[in-house]
Amino acid sequence: MKLFELLDSPVQLIMYDLDGTLVDSVPDLAIALDKMLTDLNLPSAGDEKARLWVGNGIPSLVKRALADDMMGDQPGIVDEATFTNALERFKHHYAIEVGQHSSLYPGVFTFLSQIHKAGIKQSVVTNKSEIFTESLLKHMGIDHFFELSVGGDSLDEKKPHPMPLQHTMKHFGSSTENTLMIGDSKNDVKAARAADVKVVGLPYGYNHGEPIESAHPDCVVESLTELL
């Protein structure tokens, strides 16, 4: 499906999730998690588990790693003191690793470039902490495409709550009819539905091991370039 077929009105704004949508960032996250676990004398988790744990922000990621359990949509239940220490250790390691082992998914740079040339506004709306969002975008060389990025700690709520999407649309003065969300997880779909905007799903990202089709986005594409 092409971009112009998705909306009844011309597209004025595209909002993107980051991890698992634009960037394969798990290699960085997994290394930082394993270093955190080593600091706490706990067994390493590895890349495969980290891919299942990503999606609800860093605090949830750390809790899932400590509990060594996906725990459905909820993070693991862990001791508060242990969590606080682990979170500090993770942030320390991730600040060093962020962007060092990540890569853009195929077609992402081409798509962002074409959308930028078309004059369509672009924004990142992620559950990743704001400071790490900015750092990763710069490391990936795509920060200049976005006039706004909203992190998981930027507002009082994060996805699947609609607030980050509504905040972004208000910032750009865009209506629901002219706005599109693109993401890889059910949180992206739920947030888009709650904000009353159309949503495109990508099957290659991090959706806790579930196919993105099960979240029922408006369409699924293998690569962003299919929308051009």
Side-chain angles (χ1 to χ4, degrees):
M1 182 174 285
K2 301 302 181 183
L3 196 61
F4 66 86
E5 298 175 311
L6 286 166
L7 303 179
D8 295 329
S9 303
V11 181
Q12 295 180 352
L13 170 65
I14 300 179
M15 301 180 287
Y16 306 86
D17 178 54
L18 180 56
D19 301 271
T21 295
L22 302 178
V23 180
D24 182 9
S25 55
V26 158
D28 298 339
L29 292 164
I31 290 170
L33 273 180
D34 281 347
K35 288 184 175 181
M36 175 200 80
L37 292 168
T38 297
D39 290 345
L40 300 174
N41 296 314
L42 294 172
S44 297
D47 186 281
E48 188 173 336
K49 285 185 177 179
R51 288 184 182 275
L52 296 176
W53 294 336
V54 170
N56 297 94
I58 286 175
S60 292
L61 176 64
V62 169
K63 287 180 179 179
R64 285 167 176 160
L66 291 174
D68 192 18
D69 197 341
M70 179 56 220
M71 303 295 287
D73 283 339
Q74 302 300 318
I77 307 302
V78 297
D79 175 74
E80 189 63 28
T82 301
F83 166 69
T84 299
N85 181 38
L87 183 62
E88 185 277 327
R89 296 313 303 156
F90 175 82
K91 288 181 176 179
H92 167 78
H93 292 302
Y94 191 48
I96 297 170
E97 301 297 338
V98 64
Q100 299 305 305
H101 314 279
S102 294
S103 59
L104 294 177
Y105 287 106
V108 165
F109 193 89
T110 297
F111 185 79
L112 296 178
S113 298
Q114 292 299 315
I115 295 302
H116 180 71
K117 290 177 182 177
I120 298 171
K121 303 297 184 182
Q122 301 184 93
S123 174
V124 167
V125 181
T126 175
N127 283 345
K128 194 183 203 73
S129 296
E130 191 173 300
I131 186 172
F132 295 127
T133 296
E134 296 297 334
S135 180
L136 184 58
L137 290 173
K138 289 178 181 178
H139 274 94
M140 295 295 99
I142 57 174
D143 56 304
H144 60 287
F145 290 125
F146 307 106
E147 295 183 29
L148 176 72
S149 63
V150 178
D153 52 1
S154 299
L155 304 169
D156 292 336
E157 300 285 352
K158 61 185 179 182
K159 298 178 298 182
H161 197 281
M163 182 184 289
L165 281 67
Q166 293 166 337
H167 171 84
T168 303
M169 287 188 286
K170 183 177 181 180
H171 174 88
F172 287 103
S174 177
S175 68
T176 57
E177 293 83 6
N178 301 108
T179 302
L180 182 68
M181 178 70 196
I182 297 178
D184 66 299
S185 77
K186 57 187 176 184
N187 281 335
D188 300 314
V189 177
K190 287 179 179 178
R193 294 283 178 248
D196 196 28
V197 299
K198 292 288 184 70
V199 56
V200 174
L202 295 163
Y204 52 65
Y206 320 137
N207 192 34
H208 310 312
E210 301 173 11
I212 189 60
E213 288 84 357
S214 65
H216 306 294
D218 291 290
C219 77
V220 176
V221 295
E222 295 292 328
S223 168
L224 288 178
T225 54
E226 290 182 28
L227 297 172
L228 294 174

